[in-house]
Every structure is written in structure tokens, then in C-alpha cells.
Amino acid sequence: MTLDEFLEACRRLADEAPARIALAASPAEFADVRTQLVGRKQGRLADLMTQLATLPPDARRDAGRAINDVKSTIEQLLDEREASVRAATRADGALDLSMPSRRRWKGSLHPVTLVIDEIAEIFRELGFTIALGPEAETEFYNFTALNFPADHPAMELHDTLYLGEDTLLRTHTSPVQVRTLQQYAPPVRILAPGNVYRRDFFDATHAPSFMQLEGLAIDEGISFVDLKATLSEFARRFYGSTRRVRFGPSYFPFVEPGAQMDVEVDLGDGKGVRWVEILGCGMVHPNVLSAAGVDSERYTGWAFGMGPARIAMSRHGIPDIRVLYDSDVRFLEQFAR
Ligand code: DAH
């Protein structure tokens, strides 16, 4: 082989290389074409190296420079092309075996759902069943039957969202008491979870829609002692037997006397254990029993209402109610069991 023939062979290799390189699309194909073109032991460049040794000594300097140029040109082309293919493969979502696998999100129940389930289980053990009522209610069920006097300020207090003349989004789950008593004769023991609505803006402690849990127990001879015993037992099971419970007076039109139950809890905010109001309760007002068609001379009973979101927040030290509505998986996955 003459020097000219050698230089010509180098040029041909340089000319052919781009087309060959353009065909490679995977890491394996790039490895193949790299070996074929510029491999040390075999391939086109290795062949030329063997030829180089056969050239006359005075031709080797030029031949050596030419072959080095070809080698670095091809290698540079291979590197650039391989990098851009790798980048494009990622961008358009095709298989990239070097990519770390996608993380699997573990589904979980919402912390408020978990609280409701847990409370429902405790009351199930105490003989309560679940009752549900509609979220769109009438003034009768939401207010009148619950002994709210007409134009009572409490109706405004509740910041009602009206749907029409007489229809509204229930402001509490208490109407389920009336609907249940209309449908079933005592003895009645029910727990009614559900959404309620109030004309509120979202802030750290308020939401325009939230969950409530209503409880109702009606039978012959039920007294305030039953109320205290049952709700204390609930608190003991939910918060643990070391937590203290206390009852204090409160007012709701549908109970007489009305009360609230406080539990000594640690909110996890560094302020230690303190009294926190957990629920409103009381002896069902005779007017409510009558409105529901129950003989208020024969039957008595008690009721309570609580907010599971508040309870979830106090339990987990959640400072802002809005995170319960965000559906942020980073928050929710912490409750996966
Ligand atoms: N309905 C009340 C509210 O939304 C909560 C409540 C208080 C329910 C006392 C009751 C009760 O059944 O006895 O604020």
C-alpha cells in the first residue's frame, strides 16, 4: 500500500463513519459501532493500524497524523451522538434502562376517615349502628324540628348556605336525629357521620365544608348518667385510660340540659397536656322528640355532635385545617398503614 492509498482509505473511513453512527440508537448499538470503527483490536481503524506498519518509514509520519485525525473525529462524533440520543430518549419517554424506576405511591385512608372509622368501631361495640341523611336539607329538619325558634339568631350563627326558598345545605348532622326517629321506633342508638356546610372562608381553623359525627341514643328511662358514662367510656377507649374527661354546661336549642365534653390531651405543639373541647352533647329536648313523632312522656335520650377533623388535628398535631383538603400525597402518605 502506498501513502496515497493509505490517506485515501483514511478519508473513506471518515466519510462513511457519520452514516454508520447515525444508525445507532441504543447503548448496545453504540458499543457495536464504536468497535467496528475505532476498536483497538478489530475493525476499520485497527486494520489501518496494521497497514501503517507496512508503509515505508518516511511515509509513516503523515500516515500517523492522518489516522489520528480520523480516530479523534470519529470518537468525537460517537460521543456527541450518543449523548444526544440518550437525552432524547429520556425526553420522549422511550425506554431508558439506566433510569431509576418510578417510585410507587402507597395509597392510604385520609386521616379524617381513619378517625371516623375508629370512632365508629368504638360506638359499634357500644351498640350503635350507622345512620345517614341527605346533605341537601329543608329548614324543618335542619332548624325547626331541632327546636330552633323561627328567626332564631342561631340560624344566622350557622351561616347557612341556602339552595332555594326552603332548601339548604345542612349546617350540621343533627337533622339525621329527626329523620332516624321518624323512621325507626325506639330504642334507637345511631352514629351519623357526614359532610356539613357553612358560609365560611377557608382559614387555618375553618372550612366551608367539613365532617361531623352525630350520635343519638333514645329509649325508656335514659338519663344524663347514661350520657356521661357512654361518652366517658368512648373517650377512655379513643384517647386511652390515662386521659381525664370533664363535662361542662353549654347551649344548643335541641338539648336540655346542654353540655360539652373536654378531654385532657397533648396537641403535640410543645405546650403539653391541656383541656380541649371534643364534643357538644345533652339530653334531647322534648320538643325534638315530639317533632319527630316520638312520645316525649315515655322516651328520653341524649345526643352528641363532634368534628372528626378537629380530633384528627389534635391527635396528629396538625396546625392548619387546610392540609386536610389539599390532597397532597406527601402529607397523606404519612397515614399509610
Ligand atoms: N349540631 C351541633 C353543631 O353543629 C353539635 C351538637 C351539639 C350536636 C350538641 C348534638 C348535641 O347532637 O347534642 O355545632
Side-chain angles (χ1 to χ4, degrees), residues 7-21 37 44 70 73-74 77:
L7 295 179
E8 174 60 24
C10 284
R11 223 174 291 126
R12 233 182 297 123
L13 176 56
D15 286 346
E16 284 172 29
R20 300 278 303 273
I21 293 169
L37 295 176
R44 301 281 294 275
V70 172
T73 305
I74 292 176
L77 199 61

Short mmCIF file of all heavy atoms in Angstrom, two decimals, residues 7-21 37 44 70 73-74 77:
data_model
loop_
_atom_site.label_atom_id
_atom_site.label_comp_id
_atom_site.label_asym_id
_atom_site.label_seq_id
_atom_site.Cartn_x
_atom_site.Cartn_y
_atom_site.Cartn_z
N LEU A 7 -3.87 7.28 2.75
CA LEU A 7 -4.61 8.50 3.06
C LEU A 7 -6.02 8.43 2.50
O LEU A 7 -6.98 8.89 3.12
CB LEU A 7 -3.88 9.73 2.49
CG LEU A 7 -2.50 10.02 3.11
CD1 LEU A 7 -1.85 11.24 2.44
CD2 LEU A 7 -2.60 10.25 4.62
N GLU A 8 -6.14 7.83 1.31
CA GLU A 8 -7.46 7.67 0.70
C GLU A 8 -8.34 6.77 1.56
O GLU A 8 -9.52 7.07 1.81
CB GLU A 8 -7.28 7.08 -0.72
CG GLU A 8 -8.56 6.70 -1.44
CD GLU A 8 -9.51 7.90 -1.64
OE1 GLU A 8 -9.04 9.05 -1.66
OE2 GLU A 8 -10.76 7.67 -1.75
N ALA A 9 -7.77 5.72 2.09
CA ALA A 9 -8.53 4.79 2.95
C ALA A 9 -8.99 5.51 4.22
O ALA A 9 -10.11 5.30 4.70
CB ALA A 9 -7.69 3.57 3.30
N CYS A 10 -8.12 6.35 4.76
CA CYS A 10 -8.48 7.14 5.95
C CYS A 10 -9.67 8.04 5.63
O CYS A 10 -10.61 8.16 6.43
CB CYS A 10 -7.31 8.00 6.40
SG CYS A 10 -6.04 7.07 7.26
N ARG A 11 -9.61 8.72 4.47
CA ARG A 11 -10.68 9.63 4.09
C ARG A 11 -12.00 8.88 3.93
O ARG A 11 -13.05 9.35 4.38
CB ARG A 11 -10.32 10.32 2.76
CG ARG A 11 -10.63 11.81 2.76
CD ARG A 11 -10.13 12.49 1.49
NE ARG A 11 -8.68 12.56 1.42
CZ ARG A 11 -7.94 12.10 0.39
NH1 ARG A 11 -8.53 11.56 -0.67
NH2 ARG A 11 -6.63 12.20 0.41
N ARG A 12 -11.94 7.70 3.29
CA ARG A 12 -13.17 6.93 3.10
C ARG A 12 -13.79 6.56 4.45
O ARG A 12 -14.99 6.67 4.66
CB ARG A 12 -12.88 5.64 2.30
CG ARG A 12 -13.79 5.53 1.09
CD ARG A 12 -13.56 4.23 0.32
NE ARG A 12 -12.20 4.16 -0.24
CZ ARG A 12 -11.33 3.20 0.01
NH1 ARG A 12 -11.65 2.21 0.83
NH2 ARG A 12 -10.14 3.20 -0.56
N LEU A 13 -12.93 6.15 5.37
CA LEU A 13 -13.44 5.80 6.69
C LEU A 13 -14.11 7.02 7.33
O LEU A 13 -15.21 6.93 7.87
CB LEU A 13 -12.29 5.29 7.58
CG LEU A 13 -12.68 4.96 9.03
CD1 LEU A 13 -13.82 3.95 9.10
CD2 LEU A 13 -11.47 4.43 9.80
N ALA A 14 -13.46 8.19 7.25
CA ALA A 14 -14.03 9.41 7.83
C ALA A 14 -15.36 9.77 7.17
O ALA A 14 -16.28 10.25 7.84
CB ALA A 14 -13.04 10.57 7.70
N ASP A 15 -15.44 9.52 5.85
CA ASP A 15 -16.69 9.84 5.14
C ASP A 15 -17.84 8.91 5.52
O ASP A 15 -18.99 9.33 5.62
CB ASP A 15 -16.46 9.76 3.62
CG ASP A 15 -15.65 10.95 3.11
OD1 ASP A 15 -15.51 11.93 3.89
OD2 ASP A 15 -15.15 10.90 1.97
N GLU A 16 -17.51 7.62 5.67
CA GLU A 16 -18.57 6.64 5.95
C GLU A 16 -19.07 6.69 7.40
O GLU A 16 -20.21 6.35 7.67
CB GLU A 16 -18.04 5.22 5.68
CG GLU A 16 -17.93 4.88 4.23
CD GLU A 16 -17.21 3.55 4.07
OE1 GLU A 16 -17.33 2.71 5.00
OE2 GLU A 16 -16.56 3.36 3.04
N ALA A 17 -18.18 7.10 8.26
CA ALA A 17 -18.49 6.99 9.70
C ALA A 17 -19.80 7.67 10.11
O ALA A 17 -20.62 7.05 10.80
CB ALA A 17 -17.33 7.52 10.52
N PRO A 18 -20.08 8.93 9.69
CA PRO A 18 -21.30 9.59 10.17
C PRO A 18 -22.56 8.79 9.88
O PRO A 18 -23.45 8.70 10.74
CB PRO A 18 -21.30 10.93 9.42
CG PRO A 18 -19.87 11.19 9.11
CD PRO A 18 -19.27 9.84 8.86
N ALA A 19 -22.67 8.21 8.69
CA ALA A 19 -23.87 7.45 8.35
C ALA A 19 -24.01 6.22 9.25
O ALA A 19 -25.11 5.86 9.68
CB ALA A 19 -23.82 7.03 6.87
N ARG A 20 -22.90 5.54 9.49
CA ARG A 20 -22.95 4.37 10.37
C ARG A 20 -23.37 4.77 11.79
O ARG A 20 -24.18 4.12 12.42
CB ARG A 20 -21.55 3.70 10.45
CG ARG A 20 -21.00 3.23 9.11
CD ARG A 20 -21.59 1.85 8.75
NE ARG A 20 -21.34 0.86 9.77
CZ ARG A 20 -20.21 0.11 9.81
NH1 ARG A 20 -19.28 0.27 8.90
NH2 ARG A 20 -20.07 -0.78 10.77
N ILE A 21 -22.77 5.86 12.26
CA ILE A 21 -23.05 6.31 13.64
C ILE A 21 -24.52 6.73 13.77
O ILE A 21 -25.16 6.48 14.79
CB ILE A 21 -22.10 7.47 14.03
CG1 ILE A 21 -20.67 6.92 14.13
CG2 ILE A 21 -22.53 8.11 15.34
CD1 ILE A 21 -19.62 8.00 14.25
N LEU A 37 -15.70 0.71 14.15
CA LEU A 37 -15.00 1.85 13.55
C LEU A 37 -13.64 2.11 14.19
O LEU A 37 -12.63 2.23 13.50
CB LEU A 37 -15.86 3.11 13.65
CG LEU A 37 -17.16 3.11 12.85
CD1 LEU A 37 -17.96 4.38 13.12
CD2 LEU A 37 -16.88 2.97 11.35
N ARG A 44 -12.25 -1.20 11.45
CA ARG A 44 -11.62 -0.44 10.36
C ARG A 44 -10.33 0.25 10.77
O ARG A 44 -9.34 0.20 10.06
CB ARG A 44 -12.62 0.61 9.84
CG ARG A 44 -13.93 0.02 9.32
CD ARG A 44 -13.76 -0.55 7.93
NE ARG A 44 -13.47 0.51 6.99
CZ ARG A 44 -14.39 1.25 6.38
NH1 ARG A 44 -15.66 1.01 6.62
NH2 ARG A 44 -14.05 2.19 5.53
N VAL A 70 -8.49 10.96 11.98
CA VAL A 70 -9.71 10.19 11.73
C VAL A 70 -10.25 9.64 13.04
O VAL A 70 -11.45 9.73 13.34
CB VAL A 70 -9.44 9.03 10.74
CG1 VAL A 70 -10.67 8.13 10.65
CG2 VAL A 70 -9.09 9.56 9.37
N THR A 73 -11.77 12.39 15.18
CA THR A 73 -13.02 12.88 14.59
C THR A 73 -14.16 11.91 14.85
O THR A 73 -15.26 12.30 15.29
CB THR A 73 -12.86 13.06 13.06
OG1 THR A 73 -11.74 13.90 12.82
CG2 THR A 73 -14.11 13.66 12.44
N ILE A 74 -13.88 10.62 14.58
CA ILE A 74 -14.94 9.61 14.75
C ILE A 74 -15.34 9.48 16.23
O ILE A 74 -16.51 9.41 16.56
CB ILE A 74 -14.48 8.25 14.19
CG1 ILE A 74 -14.36 8.34 12.66
CG2 ILE A 74 -15.45 7.14 14.60
CD1 ILE A 74 -13.83 7.09 12.00
N LEU A 77 -17.51 12.35 17.24
CA LEU A 77 -18.84 12.20 16.65
C LEU A 77 -19.66 11.16 17.44
O LEU A 77 -20.84 11.37 17.77
CB LEU A 77 -18.68 11.76 15.19
CG LEU A 77 -19.88 11.96 14.27
CD1 LEU A 77 -20.22 13.45 14.19
CD2 LEU A 77 -19.54 11.43 12.86
#
